[in-house]
Short mmCIF file of all heavy atoms in Angstrom, two decimals:
data_model
loop_
_atom_site.label_atom_id
_atom_site.label_comp_id
_atom_site.label_asym_id
_atom_site.label_seq_id
_atom_site.Cartn_x
_atom_site.Cartn_y
_atom_site.Cartn_z
N ARG A 60 89.41 88.80 104.75
CA ARG A 60 90.40 87.78 104.37
C ARG A 60 91.00 88.18 103.03
O ARG A 60 90.29 88.42 102.06
CB ARG A 60 89.74 86.41 104.29
CG ARG A 60 90.72 85.28 104.06
CD ARG A 60 90.06 83.91 104.26
NE ARG A 60 88.68 83.83 103.85
CZ ARG A 60 88.26 83.31 102.69
NH1 ARG A 60 89.13 82.82 101.84
NH2 ARG A 60 86.97 83.27 102.40
N GLN A 61 92.32 88.27 103.00
CA GLN A 61 93.04 88.61 101.77
C GLN A 61 93.09 87.36 100.90
O GLN A 61 93.63 86.34 101.30
CB GLN A 61 94.46 89.06 102.13
CG GLN A 61 95.22 89.63 100.98
CD GLN A 61 94.94 91.10 100.76
OE1 GLN A 61 94.77 91.85 101.70
NE2 GLN A 61 94.89 91.50 99.51
N LEU A 62 92.50 87.42 99.70
CA LEU A 62 92.46 86.27 98.80
C LEU A 62 93.68 86.25 97.88
O LEU A 62 94.21 85.19 97.57
CB LEU A 62 91.17 86.28 97.97
CG LEU A 62 89.87 86.31 98.79
CD1 LEU A 62 88.67 86.45 97.87
CD2 LEU A 62 89.77 85.05 99.65
N ASP A 63 94.10 87.41 97.42
CA ASP A 63 95.32 87.57 96.63
C ASP A 63 95.71 89.04 96.72
O ASP A 63 95.18 89.77 97.55
CB ASP A 63 95.14 87.08 95.18
CG ASP A 63 94.05 87.82 94.40
OD1 ASP A 63 93.83 89.02 94.67
OD2 ASP A 63 93.43 87.20 93.53
N THR A 65 94.98 91.68 95.18
CA THR A 65 93.97 92.72 95.00
C THR A 65 92.56 92.31 95.42
O THR A 65 91.65 93.12 95.34
CB THR A 65 93.92 93.17 93.52
OG1 THR A 65 93.59 92.05 92.71
CG2 THR A 65 95.24 93.78 93.08
N SER A 66 92.37 91.09 95.87
CA SER A 66 91.02 90.60 96.20
C SER A 66 90.88 90.29 97.69
O SER A 66 91.79 89.72 98.29
CB SER A 66 90.70 89.34 95.40
OG SER A 66 90.78 89.60 94.02
N THR A 67 89.71 90.64 98.24
CA THR A 67 89.43 90.39 99.65
C THR A 67 88.01 89.83 99.80
O THR A 67 87.15 90.05 98.94
CB THR A 67 89.53 91.70 100.47
OG1 THR A 67 88.71 92.69 99.86
CG2 THR A 67 90.97 92.18 100.56
N HIS A 68 87.79 89.14 100.90
CA HIS A 68 86.45 88.66 101.27
C HIS A 68 86.10 89.27 102.61
O HIS A 68 86.85 89.15 103.58
CB HIS A 68 86.41 87.13 101.36
CG HIS A 68 85.05 86.62 101.71
ND1 HIS A 68 84.03 86.54 100.80
CD2 HIS A 68 84.54 86.19 102.90
CE1 HIS A 68 82.94 86.08 101.40
NE2 HIS A 68 83.23 85.87 102.67
N TRP A 69 84.95 89.94 102.69
CA TRP A 69 84.52 90.67 103.86
C TRP A 69 83.32 90.01 104.50
O TRP A 69 82.42 89.54 103.81
CB TRP A 69 84.10 92.09 103.48
CG TRP A 69 85.19 92.96 102.98
CD1 TRP A 69 85.94 92.79 101.84
CD2 TRP A 69 85.65 94.17 103.58
NE1 TRP A 69 86.83 93.81 101.71
CE2 TRP A 69 86.67 94.68 102.75
CE3 TRP A 69 85.27 94.86 104.72
CZ2 TRP A 69 87.34 95.86 103.06
CZ3 TRP A 69 85.93 96.03 105.02
CH2 TRP A 69 86.96 96.52 104.20
N PHE A 80 80.73 89.76 101.32
CA PHE A 80 80.96 90.16 99.93
C PHE A 80 82.44 90.12 99.62
O PHE A 80 83.28 90.13 100.51
CB PHE A 80 80.37 91.54 99.65
CG PHE A 80 80.98 92.67 100.43
CD1 PHE A 80 82.03 93.42 99.92
CD2 PHE A 80 80.48 93.01 101.68
CE1 PHE A 80 82.58 94.46 100.63
CE2 PHE A 80 81.01 94.06 102.41
CZ PHE A 80 82.07 94.79 101.89
N ASP A 81 82.73 90.05 98.33
CA ASP A 81 84.10 90.13 97.85
C ASP A 81 84.32 91.53 97.30
O ASP A 81 83.40 92.18 96.80
CB ASP A 81 84.34 89.10 96.74
CG ASP A 81 84.28 87.67 97.27
OD1 ASP A 81 84.61 87.46 98.45
OD2 ASP A 81 83.90 86.78 96.50
N ALA A 82 85.56 92.00 97.41
CA ALA A 82 85.92 93.31 96.88
C ALA A 82 87.31 93.23 96.26
O ALA A 82 88.14 92.44 96.69
CB ALA A 82 85.89 94.35 98.00
N ASP A 83 87.52 94.05 95.26
CA ASP A 83 88.81 94.15 94.60
C ASP A 83 89.36 95.55 94.74
O ASP A 83 88.60 96.53 94.69
CB ASP A 83 88.69 93.85 93.10
CG ASP A 83 88.55 92.37 92.79
OD1 ASP A 83 88.84 91.54 93.68
OD2 ASP A 83 88.16 92.06 91.65
N VAL A 84 90.67 95.66 94.90
CA VAL A 84 91.33 96.95 94.82
C VAL A 84 91.30 97.34 93.35
O VAL A 84 91.73 96.57 92.48
CB VAL A 84 92.78 96.87 95.34
CG1 VAL A 84 93.52 98.16 95.07
CG2 VAL A 84 92.80 96.53 96.82
N SER A 85 90.77 98.51 93.05
CA SER A 85 90.64 98.95 91.66
C SER A 85 91.72 99.94 91.26
O SER A 85 92.05 100.06 90.08
CB SER A 85 89.26 99.55 91.41
OG SER A 85 89.03 100.61 92.32
N TRP A 95 88.67 100.80 96.09
CA TRP A 95 88.17 99.43 96.01
C TRP A 95 86.71 99.44 95.59
O TRP A 95 86.04 100.47 95.64
CB TRP A 95 88.33 98.71 97.34
CG TRP A 95 87.52 99.33 98.44
CD1 TRP A 95 86.26 98.99 98.83
CD2 TRP A 95 87.89 100.43 99.28
NE1 TRP A 95 85.83 99.79 99.85
CE2 TRP A 95 86.81 100.69 100.14
CE3 TRP A 95 89.04 101.22 99.37
CZ2 TRP A 95 86.85 101.70 101.09
CZ3 TRP A 95 89.06 102.23 100.32
CH2 TRP A 95 87.98 102.45 101.16
N ARG A 96 86.22 98.27 95.18
CA ARG A 96 84.81 98.12 94.81
C ARG A 96 84.41 96.67 95.05
O ARG A 96 85.21 95.75 94.90
CB ARG A 96 84.59 98.50 93.35
CG ARG A 96 85.33 97.58 92.39
CD ARG A 96 85.05 97.93 90.93
NE ARG A 96 85.87 97.08 90.11
CZ ARG A 96 86.94 97.46 89.45
NH1 ARG A 96 87.33 98.72 89.52
NH2 ARG A 96 87.63 96.62 88.72
N SER A 97 83.16 96.49 95.41
CA SER A 97 82.66 95.13 95.62
C SER A 97 82.50 94.45 94.28
O SER A 97 82.25 95.09 93.26
CB SER A 97 81.32 95.15 96.37
OG SER A 97 80.34 95.83 95.62
N THR A 98 82.66 93.13 94.29
CA THR A 98 82.50 92.34 93.07
C THR A 98 81.33 91.38 93.21
O THR A 98 81.02 90.66 92.27
CB THR A 98 83.78 91.55 92.75
OG1 THR A 98 84.08 90.69 93.85
CG2 THR A 98 84.94 92.49 92.48
N THR A 99 80.69 91.39 94.37
CA THR A 99 79.54 90.53 94.63
C THR A 99 78.29 91.28 94.17
O THR A 99 78.05 92.41 94.60
CB THR A 99 79.45 90.19 96.13
OG1 THR A 99 80.71 89.67 96.55
CG2 THR A 99 78.35 89.20 96.41
N HIS A 104 79.18 98.27 96.92
CA HIS A 104 80.02 98.98 97.88
C HIS A 104 81.30 99.40 97.16
O HIS A 104 81.88 98.62 96.42
CB HIS A 104 80.36 98.03 99.04
CG HIS A 104 81.27 98.60 100.07
ND1 HIS A 104 80.81 99.23 101.19
CD2 HIS A 104 82.62 98.65 100.13
CE1 HIS A 104 81.84 99.62 101.91
NE2 HIS A 104 82.95 99.29 101.29
N ARG A 105 81.72 100.64 97.37
CA ARG A 105 83.01 101.06 96.86
C ARG A 105 83.53 102.18 97.73
O ARG A 105 82.78 102.81 98.48
CB ARG A 105 82.94 101.48 95.40
CG ARG A 105 82.17 102.74 95.14
CD ARG A 105 82.15 103.06 93.67
NE ARG A 105 81.40 104.27 93.46
CZ ARG A 105 81.41 104.95 92.35
NH1 ARG A 105 82.11 104.51 91.33
NH2 ARG A 105 80.71 106.05 92.24
#
Side-chain angles (χ1 to χ4, degrees):
R60 186 168 35 100
Q61 189 84 37
L62 304 175
D63 60 31
T65 60
S66 302
T67 53
H68 181 77
W69 294 64
F80 63 93
D81 293 330
D83 284 344
V84 172
S85 56
W95 64 93
R96 64 178 175 254
S97 62
T98 58
T99 307
H104 177 93
R105 69 180 180 167

